[in-house]
Amino acid sequence: MRVKKLVLSIITFGILFALPALETSAAQVKPKTIVSTKENVTCDGKKDTLSLIGIPYDETANFLKEIYLRVQFSEGGEKTLQVGSGYEPTVQFADLNHDGCKDVFVSIQTGGSGGIVENELYSFKDRKFVDLSVPLPVQVEAYFIDGYKARIKLPNNKSYTIDLSGRKEDYDRMGLYKDGKLSEPTELMIDPYSSMKITRTLSGLGLNGIQRVSGAYHADGIGDIESLWFYANGKWVLEKVKFRELKSRK
């Protein structure tokens, strides 16, 4: 019994001794400031300090597992928000909700195969935090049809028929088509936003979004859906949407 107790004590001591070492190892990955800039986002006439702070997986990793926006107000106090994860976060300032005060627009590259970008939009007017969000991706109908073609229907009732005969050999090999007939109903792939930028719309300052449309697989790019959005009455309004075929697709 004494031997067993001694062995158990040694094992227990070893585990307890190892815990601080693990915590120290994890703590060595320190947060780093990616962006630091000054802008008046509260509309008090004085510039606030805004920083994007990232925590990588390790000291050599480019991918940031956590990204934070820190706003240090000119009159004291601060607000810190977790805004996502990814690569190369950026911050821009523009009055997108049209209340006379600049909002904070954050973009983060996710690093996925589709080149997806994550976007966040916040207001800090009068030091009151409001999550304005960004427009949801445009919902479209997009599917293959007989004859090695695809059809895309947009919310504005515009319809596009795309000739995909240049992909005939690939589609036949995959079993997508047989003798020009679609083997079964198959939708196209519509990505979330691969780009979202501040731009001038028909009504004023708004957002421009780009979504990639692909065929049988992600690399089978067909075109892009481009949308223009304007913020009005507390919500995003779709002002314009169109489909643009990729010239280098065939």
Side-chain angles (χ1 to χ4, degrees), residues 144 148 163-174 176-177 216-217 219-222 249-250:
F144 289 101
Y148 304 100
D163 179 12
L164 300 173
S165 57
R167 303 290 301 180
K168 176 182 181 302
E169 183 178 343
D170 198 17
Y171 288 168
D172 285 347
R173 179 184 57 79
M174 296 174 62
L176 183 62
Y177 283 91
Y217 44 89
D220 184 27
I222 293 175
R249 176 184 50 79
K250 293 182 180 181

Side-chain angles (χ1 to χ4, degrees), residues 126-194:
D126 300 326
R127 295 179 60 170
K128 295 179 180 178
F129 166 69
V130 179
D131 186 346
L132 298 174
S133 300
V134 296
L136 294 174
V138 178
Q139 298 299 305
V140 304
E141 294 181 44
Y143 46 88
F144 289 101
I145 59 176
D146 289 343
Y148 304 100
K149 296 178 181 179
R151 184 158 294 152
I152 297 173
K153 296 180 180 179
L154 300 181
N156 59 3
N157 295 321
K158 285 188 177 181
S159 180
Y160 301 81
T161 300
I162 314 301
D163 179 12
L164 300 173
S165 57
R167 303 290 301 180
K168 176 182 181 302
E169 183 178 343
D170 198 17
Y171 288 168
D172 285 347
R173 179 184 57 79
M174 296 174 62
L176 183 62
Y177 283 91
K178 185 176 182 180
D179 298 327
K181 296 289 185 179
L182 195 62
S183 298
E184 61 180 1
T186 305
E187 295 182 345
L188 303 182
M189 302 173 65
I190 311 294
D191 281 346
Y193 294 112
S194 59

Side-chain angles (χ1 to χ4, degrees), residues 46-242:
K46 300 178 181 179
K47 289 190 175 183
D48 310 287
T49 301
L50 295 98
S51 305
L52 288 176
I53 301 167
I55 301 178
Y57 274 106
D58 56 54
E59 294 296 340
T60 61
N62 292 323
F63 184 83
L64 303 169
K65 63 180 180 179
E66 296 175 18
I67 301 173
Y68 295 88
L69 170 67
R70 176 178 294 166
V71 183
Q72 296 169 293
F73 300 111
S74 59
E75 297 296 331
E78 66 178 52
K79 176 78 173 179
T80 300
L81 306 163
Q82 185 170 354
V83 294
S85 60
Y87 301 87
E88 302 175 354
T90 62
V91 61
Q92 294 176 276
F93 307 98
D95 182 12
L96 292 171
N97 66 345
H98 316 291
D99 63 354
C101 194
K102 288 184 179 181
D103 307 308
V104 182
F105 181 66
V106 177
S107 293
I108 304 169
Q109 300 294 327
T110 64
S113 60
I116 308 304
V117 65
E118 185 177 347
N119 304 284
E120 304 291 343
L121 181 64
Y122 306 113
S123 169
F124 293 94
K125 185 177 182 180
D126 300 326
R127 295 179 60 170
K128 295 179 180 178
F129 166 69
V130 179
D131 186 346
L132 298 174
S133 300
V134 296
L136 294 174
V138 178
Q139 298 299 305
V140 304
E141 294 181 44
Y143 46 88
F144 289 101
I145 59 176
D146 289 343
Y148 304 100
K149 296 178 181 179
R151 184 158 294 152
I152 297 173
K153 296 180 180 179
L154 300 181
N156 59 3
N157 295 321
K158 285 188 177 181
S159 180
Y160 301 81
T161 300
I162 314 301
D163 179 12
L164 300 173
S165 57
R167 303 290 301 180
K168 176 182 181 302
E169 183 178 343
D170 198 17
Y171 288 168
D172 285 347
R173 179 184 57 79
M174 296 174 62
L176 183 62
Y177 283 91
K178 185 176 182 180
D179 298 327
K181 296 289 185 179
L182 195 62
S183 298
E184 61 180 1
T186 305
E187 295 182 345
L188 303 182
M189 302 173 65
I190 311 294
D191 281 346
Y193 294 112
S194 59
S195 170
M196 179 165 276
K197 297 180 179 180
I198 299 169
T199 190
R200 183 67 57 178
T201 71
L202 302 174
S203 301
L205 209 57
L207 292 171
N208 172 275
I210 302 292
Q211 296 169 247
R212 176 55 51 91
V213 180
S214 301
Y217 44 89
H218 240 139
D220 184 27
I222 293 175
D224 291 320
I225 297 170
E226 182 175 359
S227 53
L228 287 178
W229 299 87
F230 184 78
Y231 195 86
N233 300 318
K235 63 180 181 179
W236 288 102
V237 178
L238 179 61
E239 285 199 343
K240 187 177 181 180
V241 60
K242 65 180 181 180

Side-chain angles (χ1 to χ4, degrees), residues 19-31:
L19 285 176
L22 291 173
E23 291 173 359
T24 301
S25 176
Q28 287 177 352
V29 183
K30 298 178 180 179

